[in-house]
Amino acid sequence: MAFDPFDEILELENDYYREGYDAGVADSRYAGMIEGKVFGIEKGYEKAIELGKLHGRALVWQSRFLQQESIHPNPQQEPLKAPRPRSAQKLDESVMALRQLSTTTRLRRHVDGLQSVTDGRTLARDNSDEAVTEFDDRITRASAKAKVIANTVGESLNPATSTRTGIEDATGLQARH
């Protein structure tokens, strides 16, 4: 076959198309990786916030049990005298203002179970499929336990719900008026 000098010129469009395609694939691979990381961080944060709220509820419910025990202390047990930070004292005062919980063993077992399920020290820190599945299972179990406890105690899990809600209220955003 004879060498045609116009072959290179005729293939120029295909070469530029192939070069642009390869650059687009490389850019989208990088952008997809960044977008995936951002999405993962957002979802992880949302799940951690939910687990943290449930853990906080468990701690408040436990302190409402302890509140009764501090009113009627065990005479054989010597109370510990440790200096407490001012924020902890304010929290204790806030908890004291709440209604005391009945000390049934069933309710105490549910509250202790909720506290142990939501304890962050026992969570896996790796990003494996098993760890993510276990984290999601913990949130599901903790939500179910919190509903049982709230129904037993006679409290609402979402006390901030109101009849007048706007988009700012529904998403947690604060309006800037």
Side-chain angles (χ1 to χ4, degrees):
M1 240 196 204
F3 174 74
D4 188 7
F6 295 110
D7 279 345
E8 289 182 17
I9 294 174
L10 295 174
E11 288 294 318
L12 193 59
E13 182 179 358
N14 286 338
D15 292 342
Y16 285 135
Y17 173 80
R18 206 170 304 118
E19 182 182 332
Y21 177 81
D22 292 341
V25 167
D27 287 346
S28 66
R29 184 175 297 132
Y30 178 74
M33 181 182 66
I34 297 298
E35 187 176 327
K37 284 183 178 184
V38 169
F39 181 75
I41 289 170
E42 287 174 355
K43 287 299 168 187
Y45 179 76
E46 288 172 8
K47 290 179 182 182
I49 288 291
E50 182 64 28
L51 198 66
K53 286 179 184 178
L54 292 170
H55 186 69
R57 271 187 191 270
L59 293 177
V60 168
W61 280 324
Q62 277 184 339
S63 65
R64 288 167 69 184
F65 285 134
L66 296 176
Q67 169 183 336
Q68 287 179 340
E69 294 168 0
S70 66
I71 292 172
H72 308 291
N74 187 354
Q76 299 159 351
Q77 192 175 20
E78 186 71 28
L80 297 174
K81 303 279 185 180
R84 297 189 52 139
R86 188 164 177 78
S87 61
Q89 290 172 354
K90 285 184 180 183
L91 179 64
D92 287 344
E93 292 169 5
S94 300
V95 170
M96 291 295 276
L98 294 173
R99 184 173 53 90
Q100 295 179 358
L101 296 181
S102 64
T103 56
T104 62
T105 57
R106 183 174 152 236
L107 182 60
R108 183 175 287 278
R109 196 171 56 239
H110 282 304
V111 171
D112 289 342
L114 177 62
Q115 195 275 333
S116 67
V117 166
T118 59
D119 190 7
R121 294 174 292 185
T122 61
L123 288 172
R125 301 275 192 249
D126 60 337
N127 195 19
S128 65
D129 289 338
E130 295 84 21
V132 172
T133 303
E134 191 229 341
F135 192 86
D136 290 342
D137 289 344
R138 279 188 177 210
I139 291 175
T140 304
R141 285 185 302 179
S143 296
K145 278 205 177 286
K147 285 178 187 175
V148 167
I149 296 167
N151 286 337
T152 303
V153 172
E155 297 175 353
S156 173
L157 265 181
N158 299 321
T161 57
S162 66
T163 57
R164 237 186 98 194
T165 58
I167 187 135
E168 292 88 7
D169 299 328
T171 61
L173 299 175
Q174 300 298 320
R176 295 183 224 161
H177 299 279

